[in-house]
Amino acid sequence: QVQLVESGGGLVQAGGSLRLSCAASVRTFSLYTMGWFRQAPGEEREFVAAIRWSGGVSDYADSVKGRFAISRDNAKNTVYLQMNSLKSEDTAVYYCAAAYRTWSNSRTQYEYDYWGQGTEVTVSS
């Protein structure tokens, strides 16, 4: 069983930055592809970014490309999402997720086995 705990959400003005963290309680963290998804009020959950379990390959939704950066620290069992140039449309609950040794469908939420409880990000315009 993998437990994921997100932190770092909050209220920020448009144009500002936030860094989300997701700490995983698993010894084999380096074997998990880690993803970030978000869900805005009244909307479906959508893919934001993912980082592969090996090789550090990352992928981003077009809506955040160039503004967000995903990274991981395997020594700390933590994945990060640096969010810059935030827009009001980035307002959502952000979830991290873990998928064991998979990458080809990393944009698909059903690929992920474990989810955090979410952290809320509100961007004021």
Side-chain angles (χ1 to χ4, degrees), residues 5-17:
V5 179
E6 302 100 332
S7 61
L11 174 64
V12 63
Q13 287 188 332
S17 298

Side-chain angles (χ1 to χ4, degrees), residues 41-88:
E43 303 289 333
E44 293 187 354
R45 191 175 299 185
E46 65 175 2
F47 170 76
V48 175
I51 187 164
R52 196 174 185 268
W53 62 277
S54 71
V57 177
S58 57
D59 185 29
Y60 297 91
D62 287 345
S63 58
V64 306
K65 198 171 293 184
R67 299 189 298 122
F68 290 12
I70 188 171
S71 61
R72 65 189 299 158
D73 185 338
N74 289 338
K76 296 183 177 180
N77 283 12
T78 301
V79 62
Y80 304 98
L81 185 69
Q82 178 67 44
M83 306 187 295
N84 299 325
S85 302
L86 282 161
K87 305 175 182 180
S88 58

Side-chain angles (χ1 to χ4, degrees), residues 26-123:
V26 61
R27 286 182 292 179
T28 55
F29 177 74
S30 62
L31 298 181
Y32 285 83
T33 283
M34 299 301 296
W36 285 98
F37 290 76
R38 67 186 181 186
Q39 188 168 19
E43 303 289 333
E44 293 187 354
R45 191 175 299 185
E46 65 175 2
F47 170 76
V48 175
I51 187 164
R52 196 174 185 268
W53 62 277
S54 71
V57 177
S58 57
D59 185 29
Y60 297 91
D62 287 345
S63 58
V64 306
K65 198 171 293 184
R67 299 189 298 122
F68 290 12
I70 188 171
S71 61
R72 65 189 299 158
D73 185 338
N74 289 338
K76 296 183 177 180
N77 283 12
T78 301
V79 62
Y80 304 98
L81 185 69
Q82 178 67 44
M83 306 187 295
N84 299 325
S85 302
L86 282 161
K87 305 175 182 180
S88 58
E89 51 262 45
D90 295 318
T91 294
V93 177
Y94 284 71
Y95 299 89
C96 74
Y100 184 72
R101 295 187 69 174
T102 184
W103 179 247
S104 59
N105 296 311
S106 60
R107 292 188 172 210
T108 305
Q109 58 178 317
Y110 303 107
E111 190 73 358
Y112 293 83
D113 307 301
Y114 303 100
W115 292 83
Q117 82 289 349
T119 186
E120 190 167 2
V121 172
T122 303
V123 183

